[in-house]
């Protein structure tokens, strides 16, 4: 078998494991899924899984990182559609809340992520994705005088925590209009940051 074909086969195996892992983790949660079920759904052997990942936790970490990157890309895309930096912040925050209503995002990123990966690793992944965009936006708004000068790191963590908590609350409620009500509350909180 040529090295190009082996590389494609490895990529296909990895892709199948990530896809089926995501589907199963979202549907059943990390604890509810066994390796045999994942490899069966992906159509590969346990040996093929162990060739790609150290085990279920590492596979989950890769699925989680991919979801974090997807959410960060949605946030960045929503912000980039605006020209005004303040409107970019609002659009990005709204996009985060909207993306977080997806069941896979809620279960994998917000519920199981911190428990499976540990708080420190979960925060590191978040900071490399969504939180980085939030910090960049806040720095720009402070530099422009839209937000009063203040340390960016604590403000980023406070806002990120508020949005993660709002997303978790939205995951537990099924009432119509809760997303809009949550967004309105967050928008008022953000508005309080603007300079007078």
């Amino acid at each position: 078998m040529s090295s190009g074909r082996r590389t494609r086969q490895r990529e296909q195996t990895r892709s199948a494991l990530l896809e089926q892992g995501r589907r199963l983790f979202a549907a059943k949660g990390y604890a509810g899924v066994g390796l045999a079920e994942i490899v069966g759904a992906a159509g590969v052997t346990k040996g093929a899984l162990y060739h790609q990942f150290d085990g279920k936790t590492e596979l989950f970490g890769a699925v989680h990182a991919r979801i974090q990157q997807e959410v960060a890309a949605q946030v960045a895309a929503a912000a980039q559609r605006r020209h005004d930096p303040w409107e970019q912040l609002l659009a990005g925050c709204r996009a985060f809340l909207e993306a977080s209503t997806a069941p896979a995002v809620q279960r994998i990123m917000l519920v199981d992520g911190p428990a499976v990966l540990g708080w420190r690793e979960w925060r590191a992944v978040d900071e490399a994705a969504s939180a980085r965009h939030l910090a960049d936006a806040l720095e720009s708004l402070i530099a422009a005088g839209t937000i009063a000068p203040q340390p960016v790191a604590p403000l980023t963590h406070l806002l990120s925590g508020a949005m993660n908590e709002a997303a978790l609350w939205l995951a537990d409620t099924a009432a119509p209009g809760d997303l809009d009500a949550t967004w309105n509350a967050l928008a008022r909180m953000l508005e309080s940051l603007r300079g007078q």
Side-chain angles (χ1 to χ4, degrees), residues 71-141:
V71 170
Q74 290 173 28
V75 167
Q80 289 170 358
R81 287 192 288 273
R82 309 294 180 152
H83 299 291
D84 176 70
W86 181 255
E87 292 298 320
Q88 289 176 336
L89 174 69
L90 295 179
C93 290
R94 171 86 190 207
F96 175 81
L97 283 183
E98 290 174 352
S100 297
T101 62
V105 173
Q106 291 172 341
R107 182 64 186 235
I108 294 170
M109 190 175 90
L110 299 169
V111 175
D112 284 347
V116 174
L117 302 175
W119 182 252
R120 190 175 302 268
E121 185 176 340
W122 182 83
R123 285 297 306 151
V125 174
D126 183 55
E127 287 176 11
S130 299
R132 180 179 51 83
H133 293 296
L134 179 59
D136 291 346
L138 293 171
E139 284 177 1
S140 296
L141 290 165

Side-chain angles (χ1 to χ4, degrees), residues 181-192:
T182 302
W183 167 246
N184 291 335
L186 179 61
R188 285 191 298 275
M189 189 172 78
L190 292 169
E191 190 62 37
S192 71

Side-chain angles (χ1 to χ4, degrees), residues 3-55:
S3 68
R5 186 170 173 187
R6 278 194 301 272
T7 299
R8 280 191 304 279
Q9 189 174 28
R10 278 194 300 272
E11 289 170 358
Q12 289 171 346
T13 298
R14 183 177 182 84
S15 179
L17 287 166
L18 288 168
E19 180 182 324
Q20 293 306 317
R22 178 182 184 143
R23 182 182 66 78
L24 291 166
F25 291 140
K28 298 181 175 188
Y30 177 82
V33 178
L35 281 180
E37 186 174 10
I38 295 169
V39 297
V44 301
T45 65
K46 280 190 181 179
L49 181 139
Y50 284 115
H51 187 71
Q52 297 286 333
F53 303 100
D54 286 341

Side-chain angles (χ1 to χ4, degrees), residues 148-172:
Q150 58 191 286
V152 172
L155 182 58
T156 301
H157 284 276
L158 287 167
L159 291 176
S160 179
M163 286 187 284
N164 285 336
E165 185 60 31
L168 284 169
W169 180 75
L170 287 169
D172 284 339

